Amino acid sequence: MKIIRVMTVDDHEIVRQGINSFINTQENIRIVGEADSSKSAISVAKTIKPDVILMDLQLEHHHSGIEATEAIKQQIPNCEIIILTSYYQDDYIFPALASGALSYLLKDVSPVDLVDAIVKAANKQTVLSPIVANRILKEHYKPAIDPFISLTEREQAILKLIAQGLNNTEISEQLFISIKTVRSHVSNILSKLQLRDRTQAAVMAWQQGIMS
Amino acid sequence: MKIIRVMTVDDHEIVRQGINSFINTQENIRIVGEADSSKSAISVAKTIKPDVILMDLQLEHHHSGIEATEAIKQQIPNCEIIILTSYYQDDYIFPALASGALSYLLKDVSPVDLVDAIVKAANKQTVLSPIVANRILKEHYKPAIDPFISLTEREQAILKLIAQGLNNTEISEQLFISIKTVRSHVSNILSKLQLRDRTQAAVMAWQQGIMS
DNA sequence: CATTTCATCGGTCTAGAGACCTAGATAAGA
DNA sequence: TCTTATCTAGGTCTCTAGACCGATGAAATG
């Protein structure tokens, strides 16, 4: 079994110590590097090229862990990064994952789960803390509610077609109704949602997650 | 500790047996119901109101597990549903989660992980098999590339404004250029991307994940 | 120096979009 | 039964969008 080379990034030494001391009891995982800042994380990573990095987001009093993640993933694509932090706000989760992190764990994970996540990371498999998974699902499956429900079924159907880029003629053909009827519905939709034109309607539909 | 009441839905009795036999060795989990079809799943669930349902997608030779999930979540919102299936194609994952399932596990999960998922489900926490989590992340963080790069910087900037719902006048004010210039850029964008109108451009931008 | 690309701006013309008003058919509900 | 909501459809009018034409200056590139 190949040994997984891990690096920890956290600005509190005590935290790194805690993680390291536990990880090192594992036979197949070894801590090969540490860093306490964004800058040092990037340079150390470039030197030792670890398989997996445990990265805190909060470094030096601002969340520069994201910048570090982005830089490292760009320069060492094979190195997988696990975010290990205490924050589970959307503001942290989504930028972190967008910056290239593979997994996102909260610091209340059990040591067993942490080891599990490291092993999975070495195999390019994502692990998310339950609360994080929840947030992501909610983000991608926002309930089709809010402004949307004020629309009738027909209007909702037409809005979806607008949000696919169809013009009035195509919508009328798709639904087997006259163009004039489509125009009436579109006008009502825009009026109800307080939007100016079909482009804004399409944008709203995508922003609200109504479209896939 | 409260006992978690679980129901299994699978059209193969042998599978249900396997799950049940293991689950029942757990002290805090009890199997309180079974079903082998979409219809029976809904009616049984309404009767016994389990805390958690383990739901296979493939029932009666088509994936009606999704319909069952949708119906059950609508009628018994407090009941959490874990998809437990062998399929990990996007066609299965996304409709299943959209239908209201809390978690999505592949049938290769270890018994330990399954129990863990059930306990977490009882606490409304999502658990995803690593491969499923990967798919979802990829889906939401599609690289913003392809057609976009063929556009000049200015055109990209204008496309983003279009995709925010701005009209030509607003774009011209935002960028301190004349409306005629905006029109030229818009025409070029539509021509390059082979689109008909600004609405289709906005749709493309959102579909490609260019917009946040 | 010549060429090309890009950003800027103008004019004209047509088709579509959207506002506003009216109105019939149907179905659900008080 | 009366009322209301919804879907359907038409008419008119105005304005925006977009196509197509040309043109200039700047900057990069050969």
Side-chain angles (χ1 to χ4, degrees):
Chain A
M1 189 194 301
K2 191 172 165 294
I3 287 182
I4 303 170
R5 302 171 64 252
V6 176
M7 166 179 170
T8 52
V9 181
D10 198 302
D11 56 345
H12 301 298
E13 193 190 340
I14 191 86
V15 175
R16 294 200 307 276
Q17 286 261 327
I19 297 172
N20 296 356
S21 67
F22 180 81
I23 297 295
N24 275 329
T25 66
Q26 301 290 315
E27 286 187 0
N28 55 332
I29 305 178
R30 188 179 302 154
I31 301 292
V32 293
E34 294 187 20
D36 63 356
S37 73
S38 172
K39 273 192 176 181
S40 62
I42 297 171
S43 67
V44 172
K46 280 205 283 188
T47 308
I48 64 174
K49 297 197 194 310
D51 300 311
V52 177
I53 295 178
L54 297 176
M55 173 83 69
D56 190 12
L57 288 183
Q58 193 81 17
L59 299 175
E60 309 135 1
H61 305 296
H62 54 287
H63 36 257
S64 54
I66 289 173
E67 300 153 28
T69 301
E70 204 160 8
I72 292 172
K73 279 302 289 182
Q74 198 165 17
Q75 295 175 43
I76 321 171
N78 283 333
C79 172
E80 296 302 340
I81 296 174
I82 297 174
I83 302 294
L84 183 58
T85 184
S86 307
Y87 301 93
Y88 52 87
Q89 279 76 28
D90 291 356
D91 293 352
Y92 292 83
I93 294 173
F94 294 108
L97 293 173
S99 72
L102 179 72
S103 297
Y104 195 114
L105 298 179
L106 299 181
K107 281 188 176 167
D108 62 0
V109 287
S110 64
V112 179
D113 284 348
L114 179 57
V115 168
D116 180 57
I118 292 172
V119 173
K120 286 196 169 115
N123 294 314
K124 315 291 180 195
Q125 294 188 325
T126 294
V127 176
L128 304 174
S129 278
I131 194 167
V132 175
N134 273 331
R135 295 260 175 186
I136 291 173
L137 283 191
K138 274 183 194 158
E139 175 67 17
H140 253 314
Y141 295 103
K142 280 179 185 163
I145 42 162
D146 263 353
F148 200 52
I149 48 154
S150 67
L151 300 182
T152 68
E153 280 189 26
R154 202 55 161 173
E155 288 164 349
Q156 293 180 24
I158 287 176
L159 175 55
K160 286 188 178 176
L161 295 178
I162 291 174
Q164 287 168 22
L166 277 65
N167 64 17
N168 290 341
T169 304
E170 289 165 340
I171 294 176
S172 78
E173 288 166 354
Q174 183 106 27
L175 300 179
F176 301 107
I177 55 180
S178 103
I179 300 181
K180 294 303 294 183
T181 305
V182 176
R183 289 184 144 189
S184 293
H185 286 308
V186 173
S187 269
N188 290 333
I189 292 169
L190 297 179
S191 169
K192 282 188 182 177
L193 302 183
Q194 294 189 303
L195 301 172
R196 179 180 49 205
D197 52 47
R198 64 200 300 110
T199 304
Q200 290 191 337
V203 169
M204 193 222 73
W206 284 93
Q207 280 179 336
Q208 298 289 326
I210 292 167
M211 306 306 297
S212 148
Chain B
M1 186 194 302
K2 192 173 165 295
I3 287 181
I4 303 170
R5 303 171 63 251
V6 175
M7 167 178 168
T8 51
V9 181
D10 197 303
D11 56 346
H12 301 297
E13 194 191 339
I14 191 85
V15 175
R16 296 200 306 277
Q17 287 262 327
I19 297 171
N20 297 357
S21 66
F22 180 81
I23 298 294
N24 275 329
T25 66
Q26 301 291 314
E27 285 185 1
N28 56 332
I29 304 177
R30 188 181 302 154
I31 301 293
V32 294
E34 295 186 19
D36 62 356
S37 71
S38 171
K39 273 193 174 180
S40 62
I42 297 171
S43 67
V44 173
K46 280 206 284 189
T47 308
I48 63 175
K49 297 197 196 310
D51 301 310
V52 176
I53 295 178
L54 297 175
M55 173 83 70
D56 190 12
L57 288 182
Q58 191 82 16
L59 299 175
E60 307 136 0
H61 305 298
H62 55 286
H63 37 256
S64 55
I66 290 174
E67 299 153 29
T69 300
E70 202 161 11
I72 292 172
K73 279 303 289 182
Q74 195 164 20
Q75 296 176 41
I76 320 170
N78 283 332
C79 172
E80 295 302 341
I81 297 175
I82 298 174
I83 302 295
L84 183 58
T85 185
S86 307
Y87 301 93
Y88 51 87
Q89 280 75 29
D90 291 355
D91 293 353
Y92 291 83
I93 295 173
F94 294 107
L97 293 172
S99 73
L102 179 72
S103 296
Y104 196 115
L105 298 178
L106 300 182
K107 281 189 175 167
D108 63 2
V109 286
S110 65
V112 179
D113 284 349
L114 179 58
V115 168
D116 180 57
I118 292 172
V119 174
K120 287 194 167 119
N123 294 315
K124 315 289 180 195
Q125 294 188 326
T126 293
V127 177
L128 303 174
S129 280
I131 193 166
V132 175
N134 273 330
R135 296 258 174 188
I136 291 172
L137 284 191
K138 274 184 193 161
E139 176 68 17
H140 250 320
Y141 295 102
K142 284 178 185 165
I145 40 163
D146 262 353
F148 199 52
I149 48 159
S150 68
L151 301 181
T152 67
E153 278 190 26
R154 201 56 160 170
E155 287 163 349
Q156 292 181 22
I158 288 176
L159 175 55
K160 285 188 179 178
L161 295 178
I162 291 174
Q164 285 168 23
L166 277 65
N167 64 18
N168 290 340
T169 304
E170 288 165 341
I171 293 176
S172 78
E173 288 166 354
Q174 183 104 28
L175 300 180
F176 302 106
I177 55 180
S178 102
I179 300 182
K180 294 303 294 183
T181 306
V182 177
R183 289 183 145 190
S184 294
H185 287 308
V186 173
S187 269
N188 290 333
I189 292 170
L190 296 179
S191 169
K192 281 188 184 178
L193 303 183
Q194 294 190 304
L195 301 172
R196 179 180 48 207
D197 51 48
R198 66 202 297 110
T199 304
Q200 290 191 335
V203 169
M204 193 223 72
W206 283 93
Q207 279 179 337
Q208 300 288 326
I210 292 166
M211 306 306 295
S212 149

